[in-house]
Amino acid sequence: MIETIVIGLICVCLAYLGRYRRLSWGFGAAMTILFVFLAIRYEWGNDYRQYIDKFTVYNSIDEFNYSDPNERWEDGWIFLYRIFKPFGFFSLVIVLTAFEISVYYWFIKKYIPKEWYLFAVFIYVFNPNFMLTQSSMMRQTLAMCIVLLSIPYIYKKKVIIAALFILFASLFHSSAKILLPIVFLGFVNWRMGKKGVIIGVVLFFAILLFKNIVTSIIENTLSVTGLGKYTYYLEEGKEESKLESGIGFVYQIIIMSMILYYEKRQDRKDGLIFKITALSFLFVPLGFIAQLIARIGMYLQVSMIATYPLMIRTINNRIVRAGTLFIIMFFTIYDFFSFFNSEIWRDSFIEYHTIFESFIWR
């Protein structure tokens, strides 16, 4: 945990320097450090051991039945294993990390003013739904980054190209298929504002009230889209997920409402990012029902890295602006430390390890 905090703070400071013309290299330096930090990780994350074990298993089989119903591993991911067989699993992680950090670098540069680079880096590092969790779920992280690349084409209303990106992402994590309807968001020109807030809050609570119906619809959708192999997540969620009623729950509703309200002050390009982020909040109550649904929401949450800085920038009242910034940072830090104290994540993340601790190149 200490290593993550130190690296994170260094990168936030470097991103801050990137706002100055003579120090514009600061943001690039910050992302480079994050690349190195993640590229050389070893036994860091809940799923790391499973990924490295499967790399050995799949590459030891001359012929593999890709339609094996007992496996959740997608064809695209297994194909990556095959490609990197001569180079080793560590090489695969390094290349994937380079691609993913490059996508985030591009996304932040494209959508966020340089004055807010530091806040974007802060969200990426310290919000556990991003760098930390994504370093564990390698398949979905790759899929999420590919989906992120589809956003400019959604904005330009190039539906086919955007859909191809999402379908390509589904080769590495099948859940990406469920996101195909978002390719039509570029045609939604309605500005949100107060009406959007009302609709968003109503939908949020409607999902909670009719959660059984929603769950049934999702189960049918999984079956139709060929994602039946993930239904065990639904059962797991029914047993373990509980709705936490408290200040954190209220925080989610308030932030979603603010995003919907301030969407009307954005241009159409940034407004699309706001709409995608607002949709991600509707997966919050769904995530209380099942783990898989929360994972689907993570695809849309990625846009939050741009939405938060853009939203705060457009708040005219200085007190409200400072208060919103403080609240978001407070809950981000709170979630960060809760992550490392969680029974689920603590043992796998509390100590950072590097590939140099391995006796062989895996």
Side-chain angles (χ1 to χ4, degrees):
M1 181 177 72
I2 300 299
E3 296 88 348
T4 307
I5 294 174
V6 172
I7 291 294
L9 291 177
I10 291 173
C11 291
V12 168
C13 291
L14 286 171
Y16 173 79
L17 296 177
R19 66 190 298 167
Y20 301 107
R21 181 176 298 179
R22 293 182 179 180
L23 300 173
S24 58
W25 50 265
F27 175 60
M31 299 303 285
T32 300
I33 291 174
L34 288 176
F35 158 69
V36 175
F37 179 72
L38 294 172
I40 63 173
R41 70 187 188 272
Y42 177 63
E43 297 282 9
W44 199 60
N46 292 33
D47 298 335
Y48 190 97
R49 171 51 56 183
Q50 183 182 22
Y51 278 114
I52 197 169
D53 287 345
K54 289 292 185 179
F55 182 87
T56 302
V57 170
Y58 288 137
N59 283 322
S60 65
I61 302 173
D62 293 331
E63 294 183 5
F64 181 80
N65 182 8
Y66 290 98
S67 61
D68 186 348
N70 297 319
E71 288 290 348
R72 294 185 294 111
W73 300 81
E74 287 77 7
D75 296 0
W77 187 257
I78 297 173
F79 184 64
L80 282 179
Y81 274 176
R82 297 293 193 186
I83 292 177
F84 281 87
K85 179 179 179 179
F87 311 105
F89 180 77
F90 292 163
S91 297
L92 172 61
V93 173
I94 292 171
V95 171
L96 288 180
T97 302
F99 169 74
E100 291 154 7
I101 289 295
S102 296
V103 170
Y104 281 115
Y105 176 86
W106 159 81
F107 183 69
I108 293 173
K109 290 277 287 187
K110 182 175 180 64
Y111 290 99
I112 303 176
K114 60 184 179 180
E115 294 79 11
W116 290 93
Y117 285 171
L118 80 162
F119 191 47
V121 173
F122 171 82
I123 293 295
Y124 174 70
V125 174
F126 292 104
N127 185 323
N129 288 331
F130 297 117
M131 185 186 78
L132 291 170
T133 304
Q134 290 177 15
S135 66
S136 181
M137 52 184 199
M138 298 184 195
R139 287 157 50 234
Q140 186 170 351
T141 300
L142 175 58
M144 289 164 63
C145 288
I146 295 172
V147 170
L148 197 63
L149 292 172
S150 71
I151 290 180
Y153 299 99
I154 294 175
Y155 167 71
K156 296 175 183 178
K157 301 177 183 179
K158 296 183 178 181
V159 174
I160 295 178
I161 298 178
L164 288 175
F165 269 95
I166 294 175
L167 289 174
F168 181 63
S170 71
L171 294 177
F172 305 100
H173 204 279
S174 302
S175 61
K177 294 178 184 177
I178 299 178
L179 297 174
L180 280 172
I182 71 169
V183 301
F184 298 103
L185 273 180
F187 295 94
V188 180
N189 295 319
W190 178 49
R191 308 318 300 261
M192 298 301 171
K194 294 180 181 178
K195 293 181 179 179
V197 173
I198 295 172
I199 294 174
V201 172
V202 169
L203 285 174
F204 193 95
F205 283 102
I207 291 170
L208 288 177
L209 292 173
F210 302 103
K211 61 181 180 180
N212 291 332
I213 297 176
V214 174
T215 303
S216 177
I217 293 173
I218 292 172
E219 288 176 340
N220 293 331
T221 302
L222 289 175
S223 177
V224 171
T225 55
L227 299 176
K229 58 187 176 181
Y230 290 110
T231 53
Y232 82 97
Y233 276 127
L234 292 174
E235 297 302 321
E236 184 177 274
K238 290 175 182 177
E239 294 174 0
E240 298 180 359
S241 296
K242 296 180 180 179
L243 177 60
E244 296 180 2
S245 57
I247 190 170
F249 183 64
V250 174
Y251 165 75
Q252 299 282 354
I253 298 175
I254 291 175
I255 295 299
M256 180 190 71
S257 299
M258 293 185 69
I259 289 172
L260 289 167
Y261 179 78
Y262 286 103
E263 184 274 341
K264 69 179 182 180
R265 298 189 181 182
Q266 315 302 317
D267 58 27
R268 198 172 72 85
K269 181 184 73 172
D270 294 339
L272 174 62
I273 301 294
F274 275 60
K275 291 182 178 72
I276 293 174
T277 305
L279 281 176
S280 75
F281 279 88
L282 295 181
F283 284 86
V284 172
L286 288 174
F288 295 135
I289 302 171
Q291 181 184 349
L292 172 64
I293 307 173
R295 277 182 166 245
I296 296 172
M298 288 181 177
Y299 286 99
L300 305 175
Q301 284 180 354
V302 174
S303 59
M304 190 183 294
I305 294 175
T307 303
Y308 279 1
L310 292 172
M311 178 184 71
I312 294 172
R313 186 190 63 159
T314 54
I315 298 176
N316 295 325
N317 187 296
R318 292 185 178 181
I319 297 177
V320 176
R321 185 193 309 146
T324 303
L325 179 61
F326 172 79
I327 290 173
I328 291 176
M329 292 182 68
F330 173 81
F331 275 96
T332 299
I333 294 172
Y334 175 81
D335 287 341
F336 178 81
F337 285 102
S338 296
F339 178 89
F340 281 100
N341 288 317
S342 167
E343 294 181 359
I344 298 175
W345 303 103
R346 178 180 174 82
D347 292 342
S348 298
F349 277 98
I350 195 66
E351 292 186 19
Y352 174 74
H353 301 281
T354 72
I355 57 178
F356 303 110
E357 297 177 42
S358 175
F359 293 107
I360 60 173
W361 183 267
R362 303 293 296 273

